[in-house]
Amino acid sequence: MKSATRFIGDTAVLTGRSLRHILRSPDTIISTTIMPIGFLLLFVFVLGGAIQTGSEGSYIDYLLPGILVITIVSGIAYTAFRLFLDLQRGVVQRFQSMPIARSAVLWAHVLTSLVASFVSLVLVLLTALLLGFRADAGVLAWLAVAGILILCALALAWLAIIPGLTAKSVDGATAFSYPLLFLPFLSSAFVPTGTMPPPVRWFAENQPVTSIVNSLREILAARPVGGDLWVALAWCSGILIVAYVVSVALYRRTAG
C-alpha cells in the first residue's frame, strides 16, 4: 500500500513537471492539432464531394473517426521527443538516483501524452461540430468512444517510449511516427475498403486502424458494431502489452 501511494505521488509530481513544460511551449498542442484539422478541412471542402462512401450521413460523419485517430498519432512523436531530451540532458539519470518510484518516470511521460492527446481531440471535435458533424450516439456510446480513443492513445504512448529510450538522435526519436501516419490513408478512414485494389484492400482490412475507425463510426451512428470492436480492442491491447513490456525492459537496462 505504501509503495502504491509512493508511486502515485511520484508519478503525479513528474507528470505535473512535464505538463508545465507543455504549457511553456504550447506549440506542441498547436502543431499536433493543426495537421488533423487541416486534413479535416481538405477532405470536407476539397475532396469530399468526389468521394462516395455509400453511407446515409454526410461525409464529415464518415470522416471524423479517422481524423480522431490521426490526431492521436500526430502527437505521439512528442512523447518520444520529450523522453529522448530528458535522457540526453541527464534528467532521467538524475531521477534514477533519487528515492522515487522508478516506473514513475515513464508513466509521467505516458500520462502527459494522454493529456495532450485529450486536448487535441477536443479541439478537433469542436472544429468538426462547427463544420456540421452530428452524431446519434447517446451518453454511453460517447463513453465507449472515449474508452477506445484512450486505449489507442495509451498503446501508442507506450510504443513511443521505445524510440525515446533507444534513439541516437532527435530525428531518430520522432521518425517512428511517420509510418504510423500513413496507416489511416491505407484504411477505411477516408474511403470504403471495397473501392481499393485487392492487395491494398487486403492490407487495409487487416490492419488496426480500419477496425478502430469502423468501430468508432458505428458507435457514433448508433449502429451495431459487430466484430470490428473486438478486433480493435485486441489490436490496442496487444500493442499496449508488448510496448509496455519492451519499454520497461529497456528502461531497466538504461538504469543499469
Side-chain angles (χ1 to χ4, degrees):
M1 184 66 180
K2 184 178 180 180
S3 59
T5 302
R6 175 185 171 189
F7 165 74
I8 294 173
D10 292 342
T11 301
V13 171
L14 294 179
T15 302
R17 165 189 170 269
S18 296
L19 289 175
R20 284 192 294 273
H21 287 176
I22 291 180
L23 290 176
R24 296 187 191 120
S25 181
D27 57 295
T28 299
I29 298 295
I30 295 172
S31 59
T32 58
T33 305
I34 285 178
M35 185 174 68
I37 291 178
F39 282 134
L40 186 65
L41 296 173
L42 172 66
F43 278 89
V44 169
F45 292 114
V46 179
L47 304 176
I51 297 176
Q52 300 297 320
T53 63
S55 60
E56 297 178 359
S58 64
Y59 182 61
I60 192 172
D61 295 342
Y62 182 92
L63 175 68
L64 182 63
I67 297 297
L68 295 178
V69 173
I70 287 177
T71 303
I72 294 173
V73 174
S74 65
I76 60 171
Y78 285 93
T79 305
F81 173 73
R82 287 189 295 268
L83 179 56
F84 174 79
L85 286 186
D86 278 354
L87 276 170
Q88 294 301 304
R89 294 169 178 170
V91 176
V92 171
Q93 293 83 345
R94 195 175 309 129
F95 286 148
Q96 290 172 344
S97 67
M98 298 171 64
I100 62 175
R102 289 290 183 90
S103 57
V105 175
L106 297 185
W107 272 106
H109 283 281
V110 169
L111 293 178
T112 300
S113 178
L114 289 183
V115 173
S117 293
F118 173 78
V119 174
S120 296
L121 287 169
V122 169
L123 293 175
V124 170
L125 182 57
L126 290 175
T127 303
L129 290 171
L130 290 175
L131 296 178
F133 169 74
R134 297 295 180 267
D136 296 323
V139 175
L140 291 179
W142 275 106
L143 290 176
V145 168
I148 294 172
L149 292 174
I150 289 172
L151 182 60
C152 178
L154 188 62
L156 292 180
W158 276 107
L159 187 63
I161 295 295
I162 298 174
L165 290 170
T166 59
K168 303 302 181 183
S169 65
V170 171
D171 291 337
T174 58
F176 86 101
S177 66
Y178 300 153
L180 296 180
L181 283 171
F182 284 106
L183 284 181
F185 294 93
L186 296 174
S187 73
S188 63
F190 301 104
V191 297
T193 57
T195 63
M196 302 175 182
V200 180
R201 177 179 179 180
W202 180 88
F203 177 81
E205 292 178 348
N206 292 279
Q207 58 116 325
V209 174
T210 291
S211 57
I212 294 170
V213 167
N214 287 347
S215 299
L216 294 174
R217 187 177 291 133
E218 299 303 316
I219 293 173
L220 289 171
R223 294 191 295 259
V225 180
D228 275 324
L229 176 60
W230 302 111
V231 175
L233 294 177
W235 269 111
C236 291
S237 300
I239 293 171
L240 172 59
I241 292 170
V242 172
Y244 176 81
V245 171
V246 173
S247 296
V248 171
L250 289 172
Y251 182 66
R252 287 174 178 170
R253 189 178 69 180
T254 304

